Amino acid sequence: MLRSASKVRTSLPSLSLTLPSKTLTSTPTAAAAAAASRFGPEHIAAIFRRLRRNPEAAVRFHVWTRETLGLPPSLRSSCSLAHILFEHGLFERARVVVERTVRTFGASDVLSALCEGFRTHRTHASVVCGVLIECYCEAGMTDGAVDVFLRARRMGISVSADVLLKSLVDSDQIVTTVLVLEMSGELQGGSRTPDSLIYDALSRGGSEKCLEIHRVLVMKGLTPHVISCNRFLNRLCKANQIETAHKFLLLMLEVGPNPNVVTYSTLIDAYCKRSALVESMKLYRLMRERGVAPDVVVYGILINGFCKEGRINEGHGLLSVAIDNGVMPDVVVFGSLMDGYVRIGDVDEAFRLFKRMSNEGILANIITYSILVNGFCQNGRVREALGLFSRIVKEGLQPNILTYSNLLDGLLTSGNLKDGIFLYSFMVREGFELDEVVNGVFMKGLSRAGRVRDAVRISLKSGLQLNLIMYVALIEGWCRIGRIHDSLKTFTRMVMYGVKPDVVPYTVLIKGLADQGALEEAMILFFQMLKKGFSPDVVMYCSLIDGFCKSGNIFVGLRFYEMLIRDGLVPDVAIYNVLMNGFFRAGRSSEAFELFCQMKENGIHPDLFAYNIMISGCFGEQNLTKAIQLYDEMKDRGVTPNTITLTILINGFCKQGMVADAVQVFSLMLEQGPSPNIVSCNSLMDGYVRAKNLDDAFTLHEEMIQNNISPDIVSYSVLIDGLCKEGRVEEASWAFDCAIKRGLLPDVWAYGILIRGYCKAGRFSEAMMLYDRMVADGVTPNSLIHSALAECPNGVMQIDK
C-alpha cells in the first residue's frame, strides 16, 4: 500500500518560470471561473500537445491554469508537462514537476499516467522511471518506489536498482530491500549479483545498517560471496569507517561467509595506515587462530607499518617469523625494512639487508637502490652512493627522478658543487622533467655554496612557480653571504606572488639579521610576525638571544628568554649556551655557573659546546681548579673533547704560566687526536714566548711548516713580539718580512708590535717608516701605536703632519 499523500509535507518548490504579474490575480475572477467551467481536461491536453515544442510556454500555461483559472493541475497535465521538459533536456525542472506530482497524486497510478506519454513524447523511459523512483523515496513513500521499480522491470523498462536500494537502506527498509532482491530474480544472471548491488548501495550510504542487512541476507539464504564482502569492506576502509569495517569482519566470522586472507589484509592495512599497530597485530593473531595463513602481502603491510613508526626491531622480527613460516619475503618487504633503517640513520644495516636479499636470489629494483642511495647521501657517504649508482647503470636499470634527486642532494650537501652541477646538467640533457623537488634541491645547494645568483637564474629558466621551500633556500643563501637586503626583497616577492610564509622564513631572516648585528630590524620583523599570528620557536628565540648577548646587551637577551618561558617553550641546550656565553662576556660569571647548574637540574645534558664555554669562562676568571673539574666531568659523562676543547686548555695553561701542562696536552693531541690546528699551535707558541723560551717557539714554528700547518699572521706576531721583548729587533724585522713573503697581510697588531719594538730600541726613524708603510697599506693605527710613537723625538709632530 502507498503511504497517504496527506501525510507528506505540502511545501513544494515552485517552478522557475511564471506568467507576468499583470496576467495573474490572487483569486480567480468571476469571468475566469466561468471560463474554467467550460475548460475541460481534453482542452488542456490538446493545448499541451500544441505547446510540445515550446517548454517555456508550456510552463506558463500550466501556471496560468492554476493561478488565473483556479484549476488544480491534474495528474495527466502534470505528466504531460514533465514529458515536455524531459524531452528538451530540462531534467532539473522536470524533476520538480515529478516531485510535485508524487506528493499531490502519490496514491494514484503516476507510473501509468507517465507511461501514456511515452507514445507521443521522445523521452527515455528508464530515465523518467528512475526519477519517479527517487521522488517516491525522497517523499518517504518507499512502498510506491518498490512498486514502480518492480512494475517497470516487468514492463521491460531497464531501471537501475542502485538508487532504490540506497534509498531503502537509508530509510531502514531492511526487509523490503531483501524482498526486492528476491523478487528481481532476473538480476541473478546479470553482470552484478544482488549482493554486489546491495553492498554497492550500502558503501555509498556509509551506515552500520549493513550489519543488520548482512545478517538478514544470510538468514534468507542469500549469503553473499566473500568477494562482494571484501569489496564492501575495502570501501568502508577507504571511507575511513574502520570501526564499522571491523564489526563487519566479526559478523562474517559469526554468520559467514568465512573471511579469507584478503579480508584480513584489507583491514590490517587500514589499521597500519592509521598507525594502530596494536589492532593490526590483534587481527594478525586472529587470522592465524582461525586457520588463515598470512601471505607475503600481510607480512609486507605489517613490516612496513612497524618501520614507518620507527619500530624497526619488531618489523625485522616479523621478517624472521615470515621466513620460519615458509613465506619468502619479496623485494617490497625488504625495501620497507631497508627504508626503515635509513630513516633511523642505520644505513649499514640497510646495506646488510640488501646483500641478504641478493643472496636469497631476490633481484633488487630501482626503488631499493634509490633507498640505499638516499641513505648513503644522508650520512655523508657520497662516494658509496656514487658506487651504487654505477651498479644501477651496469645492471641495466633505469634510474628514476627520485634516484637522481637523492644523489644530487648528497653531492651538493657534501659541498661537491662541481659534480652536482654536472649531474643536474646531465638530467637536463637526458630530457628528464625536472619538477619543483629537483629544482628545489639544486637551488638549495647553490644557495648554500654562496651562488645565489645562479640559483635565481635556475628558478627563472625552469619556468616553475617557486614554492615555500625554494624561497627559503634563496633567503637563506642571501643571508649566508651577508646580503640581508636581497633576502628581505626575496621575502617580499614571495608574499607578493601569493606564497604564504610559515615560521621558517621568518626564522631564517631573523637569524640572518641578528648575525649581521641588525638587531633593531630583527626585533621589528619578530613583532610583525607575532601580529600575523605566528608563534616563534626555540630556534628563533635562540638567534635573538645570541645576537643581543654578542652585542653586549644581555639585558634584552634575558627579556627574550623570559618571553620564551611565558610562551610555554622549553629552552634547549643551545639557549643555555648562548646565555652562559653572554654572562661570561658581560663579566657575570656567577650567573653563568648558576645557569649551568639549572640546566642540569632541568634534565638537559650539557653538550660539547656547553663545556667548551664553561671551561673557557673558568680560565678567563683564572679559576683553574674549576676548569679542570669541568674537563674531567665532560669525559665522565661521555662527551668527547674536540680540538677546540684542548686548545682552550693549552691557551688557559699558557696564560697561567703552566707551559709544561700545555705541552702535555699538545703532545696528547699529536699522539691520540684530535689533531691540533693553527690556533692550538699559536697558543702554545705564545706560551713559549711568555716563558721566554724562544728556541722552542721557533722549533714549533718549523714543525708546523713540516706538518703542513701554515703559520698565519698571528703566528708571526707572537714570534715578533717575543723577539722584540728580548731586544732582538733585527730578527723581529726579518720575521716580519718572512710573513709578507709568505703572502700574509700584517694587521694592526703585527705593525704595532714591531713599531713598539723599534721605539724601545731607539730606532725611531725605522718606526716612523713602518708607520708610514702601515698607513699606505690601508691599516688604521690604534691608540697603542700612537702612544708608542709619542715617545719618539718629533714623533707626534710627524704623525700630525
Side-chain angles (χ1 to χ4, degrees):
M1 292 294 291
L2 296 178
R3 296 184 182 179
S4 172
S6 63
K7 296 181 180 179
V8 182
R9 61 183 174 86
T10 58
S11 58
L12 302 175
S14 61
L15 293 174
S16 59
L17 287 177
T18 61
L19 285 173
S21 58
K22 66 179 181 179
T23 64
L24 299 178
T25 57
S26 58
T27 57
T29 63
S37 64
R38 299 190 298 272
F39 208 69
E42 67 279 1
H43 299 100
I44 294 176
I47 293 173
F48 268 121
R49 283 195 297 272
R50 292 179 62 184
L51 297 175
R52 176 180 171 185
R53 297 182 182 279
N54 192 338
E56 303 298 339
V59 171
R60 287 196 295 271
F61 173 70
H62 183 75
V63 175
W64 180 76
T65 58
R66 184 179 74 248
E67 300 292 343
T68 303
L69 298 183
L71 292 175
S74 65
L75 176 59
R76 188 176 179 186
S77 65
S78 297
C79 291
S80 297
L81 178 61
H83 274 294
I84 292 171
L85 294 171
F86 273 122
E87 195 171 5
H88 286 271
L90 303 171
F91 296 107
E92 289 302 319
R93 296 167 70 181
R95 182 187 179 87
V96 172
V97 175
V98 174
E99 184 181 1
R100 184 191 296 273
T101 304
V102 166
R103 296 184 184 277
T104 306
F105 305 100
S108 304
D109 194 352
V110 180
L111 177 62
S112 297
L114 283 171
C115 286
E116 291 178 10
F118 292 141
R119 304 189 191 99
T120 56
H121 295 277
R122 289 175 297 178
T123 49
H124 203 290
S126 61
V127 174
V128 175
C129 290
V131 171
L132 181 60
I133 291 170
E134 289 178 3
C135 290
Y136 268 118
C137 290
E138 289 174 5
M141 304 163 69
T142 52
D143 290 348
V146 172
D147 180 63
V148 170
F149 172 75
L150 295 176
R151 286 174 58 198
R153 296 304 294 263
R154 287 196 294 270
M155 294 164 62
I157 300 173
S158 177
V159 182
S160 172
D162 291 11
V163 174
L164 175 63
L165 293 175
K166 169 67 169 59
S167 301
L168 291 173
V169 169
D170 287 346
S171 59
D172 290 324
Q173 299 292 313
I174 298 170
V175 177
T176 306
T177 304
V178 176
L179 289 174
V180 170
L181 289 171
E182 289 180 326
M183 288 186 285
S184 57
E186 66 271 19
L187 291 176
Q188 294 280 5
S191 60
R192 294 196 301 169
T193 60
D195 56 277
S196 70
L197 279 172
I198 192 166
Y199 286 115
D200 285 348
L202 284 170
S203 64
R204 287 192 298 275
S207 168
E208 288 195 24
K209 299 183 183 75
C210 62
L211 305 178
E212 188 176 352
I213 291 177
H214 181 82
R215 189 183 297 275
V216 173
L217 279 173
V218 175
M219 290 173 58
K220 289 282 185 179
L222 294 172
T223 303
H225 196 279
V226 69
I227 295 176
S228 297
C229 294
N230 289 345
R231 191 182 298 121
F232 174 58
L233 193 73
N234 186 45
R235 287 196 187 99
L236 287 174
C237 291
K238 286 183 177 179
N240 204 29
Q241 299 181 27
I242 302 178
E243 290 76 14
T244 303
H246 199 150
K247 292 177 183 177
F248 186 70
L249 169 66
L250 297 178
L251 185 61
M252 289 175 65
L253 289 170
E254 180 185 346
V255 301
N258 289 325
N260 58 16
V261 68
V262 176
T263 318
Y264 288 103
S265 65
T266 301
L267 198 50
I268 289 172
D269 183 51
Y271 275 121
C272 284
K273 287 177 179 176
R274 197 187 262 193
S275 300
L277 294 176
V278 174
E279 295 298 331
S280 297
M281 288 304 295
K282 285 181 181 178
L283 285 170
Y284 165 76
R285 288 189 286 269
L286 177 63
M287 70 183 295
R288 296 192 65 176
E289 290 171 5
R290 293 282 181 160
V292 179
D295 59 5
V296 68
V297 175
V298 174
Y299 283 111
I301 291 169
L302 288 170
I303 290 172
N304 186 54
F306 278 113
C307 290
K308 284 187 175 179
E309 291 297 309
R311 298 163 63 177
I312 314 299
N313 292 335
E314 292 167 270
H316 207 147
L318 273 175
L319 175 70
S320 302
V321 172
I323 295 173
D324 292 342
N325 290 331
V327 178
M328 178 52 65
D330 58 10
V331 67
V332 177
V333 176
F334 276 103
S336 296
L337 269 175
M338 288 164 57
D339 184 57
Y341 280 113
V342 167
R343 284 171 183 266
I344 63 172
D346 193 351
V347 68
D348 291 323
E349 186 61 37
F351 191 63
R352 280 192 285 271
L353 272 172
F354 176 79
K355 291 192 289 187
R356 179 180 177 181
M357 180 180 69
S358 301
N359 294 336
E360 296 288 348
I362 302 171
L363 295 176
N365 58 18
I366 191 61
I367 296 175
T368 49
Y369 275 117
S370 297
I371 290 169
L372 277 180
V373 168
N374 183 41
F376 282 128
C377 288
Q378 284 183 358
N379 285 267
R381 297 159 65 174
V382 183
R383 191 177 297 276
E384 292 168 271
L386 288 169
L388 205 60
F389 184 80
S390 300
R391 183 170 172 178
I392 294 173
V393 177
K394 286 180 182 178
E395 292 188 4
L397 295 173
Q398 181 63 47
N400 57 27
I401 192 70
L402 182 62
T403 316
Y404 282 114
S405 178
N406 290 333
L407 189 57
L408 180 66
D409 190 29
L411 289 168
L412 295 174
T413 303
S414 65
N416 193 342
L417 190 62
K418 180 181 177 182
D419 288 340
I421 293 173
F422 174 80
L423 181 61
Y424 182 85
S425 302
F426 173 79
M427 294 168 70
V428 173
R429 288 197 306 271
E430 291 295 309
F432 279 95
E433 187 175 344
L434 305 184
D435 57 9
E436 60 183 20
V437 175
V438 177
N439 280 300
V441 166
F442 192 50
M443 288 170 59
K444 187 176 181 180
L446 290 173
S447 297
R448 282 179 174 174
R451 297 177 57 172
V452 192
R453 291 188 182 277
D454 292 330
V456 173
R457 279 195 289 269
I458 289 295
S459 70
L460 295 174
K461 190 175 180 180
S462 66
L464 288 174
Q465 186 175 358
L466 300 189
N467 58 20
L468 181 60
I469 296 174
M470 295 178 184
Y471 275 115
V472 169
L474 293 176
I475 292 170
E476 188 174 14
W478 288 124
C479 289
R480 280 175 180 269
I481 59 176
R483 301 278 293 272
I484 298 297
H485 181 67
D486 288 313
S487 66
L488 288 169
K489 280 172 37 178
T490 304
F491 180 83
T492 304
R493 190 179 299 115
M494 174 184 71
V495 177
M496 185 175 65
Y497 286 140
V499 178
K500 293 184 178 180
D502 57 12
V503 74
V504 176
Y506 281 106
T507 302
V508 172
L509 268 177
I510 288 172
K511 184 179 186 304
L513 289 167
D515 289 344
Q516 294 292 316
L519 297 172
E520 185 177 347
E521 291 85 348
M523 284 183 65
I524 291 172
L525 189 63
F526 176 81
F527 288 108
Q528 284 178 351
M529 184 200 70
L530 292 181
K531 286 183 179 179
K532 292 182 181 295
F534 291 106
S535 299
D537 55 11
V538 174
V539 176
M540 186 180 297
Y541 276 117
C542 186
S543 299
L544 287 167
I545 295 170
D546 188 41
F548 280 104
C549 287
K550 284 179 178 176
S551 70
N553 196 342
I554 194 171
F555 175 80
V556 178
L558 287 171
R559 298 294 78 76
F560 276 108
Y561 175 73
E562 291 168 2
M563 285 181 64
L564 176 147
I565 300 298
R566 284 200 303 269
D567 286 346
L569 298 174
V570 178
D572 59 7
V573 67
I575 295 286
Y576 285 107
N577 288 347
V578 297
L579 279 174
M580 289 186 299
N581 193 38
F583 279 130
F584 278 120
R585 284 172 177 265
R588 298 161 62 174
S589 57
S590 60
E591 290 169 278
F593 283 111
E594 183 181 338
L595 196 64
F596 184 73
C597 296
Q598 180 185 328
M599 175 175 64
K600 292 191 287 186
E601 288 171 2
N602 291 338
I604 298 174
H605 300 292
D607 60 3
L608 177 62
F609 298 103
Y611 279 110
N612 285 348
I613 290 168
M614 293 301 298
I615 294 171
S616 177
C618 287
F619 276 118
E621 295 291 320
Q622 298 186 356
N623 192 342
L624 181 63
T625 304
K626 186 62 177 178
I628 295 173
Q629 285 178 353
L630 285 168
Y631 177 71
D632 292 336
E633 178 186 309
M634 72 179 292
K635 291 192 296 183
D636 292 340
R637 287 177 174 268
V639 180
T640 305
N642 65 356
T643 300
I644 296 174
T645 315
L646 299 176
T647 300
I648 291 170
L649 287 176
I650 292 171
N651 186 52
F653 283 136
C654 287
K655 286 183 177 179
Q656 295 292 323
M658 303 168 62
V659 181
D661 294 277
V663 170
Q664 186 178 355
V665 174
F666 191 83
S667 301
L668 185 68
M669 294 176 73
L670 293 174
E671 294 171 6
Q672 300 180 8
S675 299
N677 58 18
I678 184 65
V679 181
S680 314
C681 296
N682 288 344
S683 297
L684 183 58
M685 193 182 298
D686 183 59
Y688 283 134
V689 169
R690 285 172 181 268
K692 298 181 180 182
N693 191 346
L694 278 179
D695 291 339
D696 284 343
F698 274 100
T699 302
L700 179 59
H701 171 266
E702 295 302 320
E703 289 176 352
M704 287 169 62
I705 296 173
Q706 292 171 8
N707 289 288
N708 296 319
I709 301 176
S710 299
D712 59 7
I713 193 62
V714 176
S715 311
Y716 284 100
S717 296
V718 170
L719 291 174
I720 293 167
D721 185 45
L723 291 168
C724 286
K725 285 178 178 177
E726 291 194 2
R728 299 160 63 177
V729 182
E730 199 66 41
E731 293 173 80
S733 180
W734 171 82
F736 187 87
D737 291 336
C738 282
I740 294 174
K741 288 177 183 178
R742 293 184 66 87
L744 299 174
L745 297 175
D747 57 11
V748 67
W749 299 107
Y751 277 111
I753 291 168
L754 188 55
I755 287 172
R756 289 197 304 274
Y758 279 134
C759 289
K760 287 182 179 180
R763 301 168 64 169
F764 302 119
S765 59
E766 291 170 279
M768 290 305 305
M769 287 174 60
L770 188 60
Y771 176 84
D772 292 338
R773 179 178 175 180
M774 176 185 68
V775 174
D777 287 343
V779 179
T780 304
N782 59 19
S783 59
L784 293 175
I785 294 175
H786 284 150
S787 63
L789 288 174
E791 300 174 5
C792 301
N794 301 322
V796 175
M797 181 181 68
Q798 292 184 45
I799 294 173
D800 291 339
K801 290 180 181 180

